Amino acid sequence: MALYRELDYGTPARTGAPVTVEIDGNAITVPAGTSVMRAAQEAGISVPKLCASDSLEPFGSCRLCTVEIEGRRGFPASCTTPVEPGMKVRTQSPKLAELRRGTMELYISDHPLDCLTCSANGNCELQDMAGVVGLREVRYDPVKTHLAEAKDESNPYFTYDPAKCIVCNRCVRACEEVQGTFALTIDGRGFDSRVAASQAEDFLDSECVSCGACVNACPTATLTEKSLIEMGQAERSVTTTCAYCGVGCSFKAEVKGNEVVRMVPNKNGHANHGHACVKGRFAWGYATHPDRIKTPMIRDSISEPWRPVSWDEAIGYAARRFKEIQAQYGQNSVGGLTSSRCTNEETYLVQKLVRAAFGNNNVDTCARVCHSPTGYGLKVTLGESAGTQDFDSVLSADVVLVIGANPTDGHPVFGSQLKRRLREGARLIVADPRGIDLVRSPHVKADHHLQLRPGSNVALLNSLAHVIVTENLVNEAFVAERCEAEPFEQWRAFVSEQRNSPEAMQELTGVPAAEVRAAARLYATGGNAAIYYGLGVTEHSQGSSTVMAIANLAMATGNIGRPGVGVNPLRGQNNVQGSCDMGSFPHELPGYRHVSDPVARPQFEQAWGVTLLDEPGLRIPNMLAAAQSDPDTQHVTGALMAMECVVVQDLFLNETAKFAHVFLPGASFLEKNGTFTNAERRISPVRKVMPALAGKEDWEVTVALSNALGYPMNYTHPSQIMDEIARLTPTFTGVSYAKLDRMGSIQWPCNDEAPEGTPIMHEDAFVRGKGRFMLTEFIATDERTSRKRPLVLTTGRILSQYNVGAQTRRTANKAWHAEDILELHPVDAEDRGINDGDWVGINSRSGETVLRAKVTQRMQPGVVYTTFHHPESGANVITTDNSDWATNCPEYKVTAVQVRKVEVPSKWQQEFDAFTREQVNLLPVVQL
């Protein structure tokens, strides 16, 4: 039996003044601008429809939703007719029934009558409407039909069957209105009209980004998931949260037995409003990939084969080795790293285990290497280590500054929302070394592209501030009321100096002074102005300074504390925000309170029943340095090989697990309960969709390890862990699973002052009281180009792949990105005799790797770019050990390199390949 379909009101909700109308004798009051169709549906009266959907603007093409309106001639379409005061509407009459049956008869005359074998059987709007209007026969016998047209099965995730297309236009409109890619069109006219992928022969080669909006919108089986065709209709659904990027999209996982049939974006998802990207929508097959390790394994050295063991033996072995190491080397000789892939509850338990069971503060997180400067910079200036807005805030923005981020690739659902606002008239400034899609794409063009040189972020922001201050564009009233006076005056004097002017800085940044001045004026005077940034801001030696400079700009112009403005870090992983919230840094307890805090620390000591150290523990780089047998070795691999016991919990044999002695199988997001916190501070539920393939959820493994170490943990469900988090973390005080079930999601702070959560922060005052301006002196990175290495390498993400690709490389997403490539400008390519597709060696002071070249105008001369989704590419082999001055976040975005044409992989790649084969061969042939 098919799932119950969500109620669709036919057209979007409106927000006008109240209007009362009469529909079938029932009085109903709705906002002005509401369609007759939606008004009827809100009164519980259904009007037949095919081309209408409440996720799309009304179109009025199917003519099935006609109604009668007193005093009007004809039969207007209810979807395109707005309500008017006193309007009297009739949705049922003999004439309407006749018209609707006639319309349906025309549709069915050119449609396959294969309902019993159709993948949409039981979940097809065309089938439903035929029943609703009472169609019992088709009198037409057309000479010409579309029934023999060939399917397009080029896309790995869905199929397009033109024989079943009713040309309702919903897919085309979804691509335009929801996704904003404009990849589909209606080709031909009249009878010959059919949906087509624009500028391509098929879907795979078109501009389609496989977000699934068209599939979602299709009322028939024309566009259908291949998983649904193969497995049939689902039996039940579970609402959960995507485990990819920091947007945190809500999904309904549709399930048959214990198998996921498809992932459907949740219409009521507050972060995504029923939209998705190719990763969350389709790339979930990794959860059941054959590479999954589902049995615990141990070994005494990394040259030995893995031994499959029971959970009890693996956890007992790990606990014994930790105790032995601490007994031999001291209490501080062990530590733990949390992952931004894990839930809040899991992360909280790991840092608790380190502090309470290990007895030290040696805990850190992968957020160290991406967004730790966000935490530091925003805490110092605004008082809270998180973004200021919700995603919907962008719909109120008049000016958007995107710096060091590529939303359409890295955060595509938010990117679609941003593009929608830009199409409505918002202005755009892009500060990026590369010509990202937002600079120029269909129906979106940046007003200003500040194509700065990598490493010059602070210089650029200081020059923008210089214009705002010297041209008297500061919001003096806001600054006087909301910010500390003395630091502001010091900052004003600093940025006013001629050395910070666009003219003085343009040689350093590479951005023409006139362009900087125009962008600064637009940001300061264009209305609500919002800043969105990503790893192109934080992964620099001055990452923390850049975040502070961004906050300075927002405060100086008063663009804080209301919809449409703010400082918005676009978090890369699904729970980067949450991993930081939960106390994963060695100097902070949950809620960003320092371990030396005389108020906070005793609260945790009392709750946990232990005495906690008041000195920060080791950061990731310090842990690795402490483990290295050779003090000159700067490689992570050297540190891992020197460690006596490495315990890894994951789904697959990842790069770290190749150096591990204990492997504890992990659970995917489909196999666990918990919560994720996205980039807008939104806490969303993760709910178990299928049983844990390895037998345990990740939080259960941490509980078992802690108990084996002698520190008791007695949780029976993640909700109990969240209850403890709420008791000990002021911003989470009002959070509970019951409230999440009721509201769907909650944005922290959620406490007595904000029991329903906080979409916009710093509305009346900053968390720290008064905002604090910080001096952001530009200090050039130690990494410099030279005659030997004249190019600058920078890195980033691509839409179809995700981080190191552990998940996406095990899905059909590799159809779009099977390898990392090096992008370089035609001038640089010509100078080196490099053509598109050539193998090129990239040499830095740290190492060398080989990638395939892509010659493109996206790059500026002197700058090259690659992604880091394939471990064998070795992007991190050539980056330096430079890091942010405040947080040790690595400087992945600036590396001096030389590029030359080569024929074979680098020495490192050859060694990596051999080592990987060796480690895979050490896996057991058959797991227990």
Side-chain angles (χ1 to χ4, degrees), residues 359-412:
N360 61 49
N361 286 317
N362 294 339
V363 61
D364 210 346
T365 173
C366 59
R368 166 77 55 204
V369 302
C370 59
H371 266 287
S372 51
T374 286
Y376 182 90
L378 296 186
K379 185 80 170 179
V380 170
T381 53
L382 309 182
E384 193 60 271
S385 301
T388 63
Q389 315 294 116
D390 60 358
F391 287 139
D392 286 350
S393 172
V394 76
L395 298 177
S396 301
D398 301 305
V399 177
V400 177
L401 167 58
V402 176
I403 176 169
N406 186 359
T408 56
D409 274 14
H411 305 83

Side-chain angles (χ1 to χ4, degrees), residues 20 28 60 63 90 166 226 340 366 373 392 398 413 459 466 497 564 569 609 643 711 776 810 905:
T20 299
I28 179 170
R63 308 307 299 171
R90 201 173 174 192
I166 61 172
K226 290 182 176 178
S340 296
C366 59
D392 286 350
D398 301 305
V413 170
H466 176 92
E497 295 174 19
M643 292 183 187
Y711 179 77
T776 54
R810 291 177 170 91

Side-chain angles (χ1 to χ4, degrees), residues 195-516:
V195 172
S198 58
Q199 301 180 1
E201 291 296 319
D202 56 34
F203 271 84
L204 185 62
D205 293 330
S206 74
E207 295 173 341
C208 170
V209 294
S210 297
C211 68
C214 60
V215 181
N216 252 24
C218 183
T220 69
T222 305
L223 288 159
T224 307
E225 298 95 334
K226 290 182 176 178
S227 60
L228 192 71
I229 295 172
E230 179 182 344
M231 301 173 68
Q233 294 290 330
E235 300 165 339
R236 59 187 175 93
S237 72
V238 180
T239 300
T240 191
T241 303
C242 180
Y244 278 112
C245 79
V247 174
C249 294
S250 177
F251 278 88
K252 291 199 170 183
E254 296 192 353
V255 185
K256 191 173 189 178
N258 287 325
E259 289 187 280
V260 176
V261 172
R262 61 176 176 176
M263 297 288 286
V264 179
N266 182 11
K267 281 174 58 174
N268 298 316
H270 298 131
N272 58 317
H273 303 294
H275 192 33
C277 79
V278 61
K279 295 187 288 288
R281 183 70 163 85
F282 296 116
W284 39 267
Y286 69 88
T288 53
H289 193 276
D291 286 354
R292 278 287 298 269
I293 297 177
K294 294 173 281 192
T295 302
M297 304 183 300
I298 60 175
R299 59 182 177 178
D300 294 323
S301 79
I302 67 169
S303 61
E304 295 179 3
W306 286 102
R307 303 195 307 276
V309 296
S310 68
W311 274 108
D312 286 345
E313 185 175 352
I315 288 169
Y317 179 91
R320 175 171 60 82
R321 292 295 293 125
F322 282 139
K323 289 177 182 177
E324 291 172 350
I325 290 168
Q326 284 190 300
Q328 182 174 358
Y329 300 107
Q331 185 171 320
N332 287 319
S333 59
V334 297
L337 303 181
T338 72
S339 170
S340 296
R341 319 292 307 128
C342 294
T343 65
N344 287 315
E345 294 79 1
E346 292 160 355
T347 305
Y348 175 85
L349 286 193
V350 170
Q351 64 84 34
K352 180 179 180 179
L353 177 142
V354 170
R355 292 189 161 104
F358 289 170
N360 61 49
N361 286 317
N362 294 339
V363 61
D364 210 346
T365 173
C366 59
R368 166 77 55 204
V369 302
C370 59
H371 266 287
S372 51
T374 286
Y376 182 90
L378 296 186
K379 185 80 170 179
V380 170
T381 53
L382 309 182
E384 193 60 271
S385 301
T388 63
Q389 315 294 116
D390 60 358
F391 287 139
D392 286 350
S393 172
V394 76
L395 298 177
S396 301
D398 301 305
V399 177
V400 177
L401 167 58
V402 176
I403 176 169
N406 186 359
T408 56
D409 274 14
H411 305 83
V413 170
F414 169 74
S416 294
Q417 197 168 25
L418 170 59
K419 288 194 292 184
R420 172 184 163 188
R421 179 61 189 143
L422 295 173
R423 293 196 304 273
E424 292 171 348
R427 310 283 295 280
L428 176 65
I429 304 164
V430 173
D432 199 290
R434 186 167 166 262
I436 62 174
D437 285 345
L438 284 176
V439 172
R440 183 187 291 273
S441 59
H443 303 271
V444 170
K445 181 180 182 296
D447 294 84
H448 303 284
H449 180 201
L450 311 181
Q451 195 167 20
L452 73 168
R453 295 193 181 105
S456 62
N457 285 339
V458 171
L460 176 67
L461 290 164
N462 285 346
S463 63
L464 289 168
H466 176 92
V467 177
I468 290 169
V469 168
T470 59
E471 295 190 6
N472 300 315
L473 303 179
V474 171
N475 187 329
E476 300 287 355
F478 180 91
V479 171
E481 178 187 354
R482 300 283 304 273
C483 303
E484 294 180 3
E486 186 176 346
F488 169 69
E489 292 302 333
Q490 293 172 347
W491 176 80
R492 187 205 294 266
F494 162 70
V495 297
S496 296
E497 295 174 19
Q498 182 58 30
R499 65 192 178 98
N500 286 319
S501 69
E503 289 73 20
M505 287 294 189
Q506 68 180 352
E507 184 175 348
L508 195 155
T509 64
V511 183
E515 192 73 0
V516 174

Side-chain angles (χ1 to χ4, degrees), residues 568-582:
N568 305 279
L570 294 174
R571 306 288 196 164
Q573 296 195 65
N574 55 302
N575 206 35
V576 168
Q577 183 67 59
S579 69
C580 300
D581 297 342
M582 292 299 103

Side-chain angles (χ1 to χ4, degrees), residues 716-733:
T716 58
H717 191 270
S719 61
Q720 299 167 347
I721 306 170
M722 178 54 74
D723 291 342
E724 182 175 317
I725 294 167
R727 288 195 298 271
L728 293 170
T729 310
T731 50
F732 277 66
T733 301

Side-chain angles (χ1 to χ4, degrees), residues 583-619:
S584 291
F585 288 125
H587 66 291
E588 286 178 336
L589 295 163
Y592 303 99
R593 288 163 294 167
H594 201 275
V595 292
S596 64
D597 187 327
V599 176
R601 193 178 69 259
Q603 294 173 351
F604 285 91
E605 289 178 331
Q606 183 177 2
W608 295 350
V610 295
T611 300
L612 300 176
L613 297 183
D614 61 358
E615 289 291 329
L618 299 176
R619 297 173 174 180

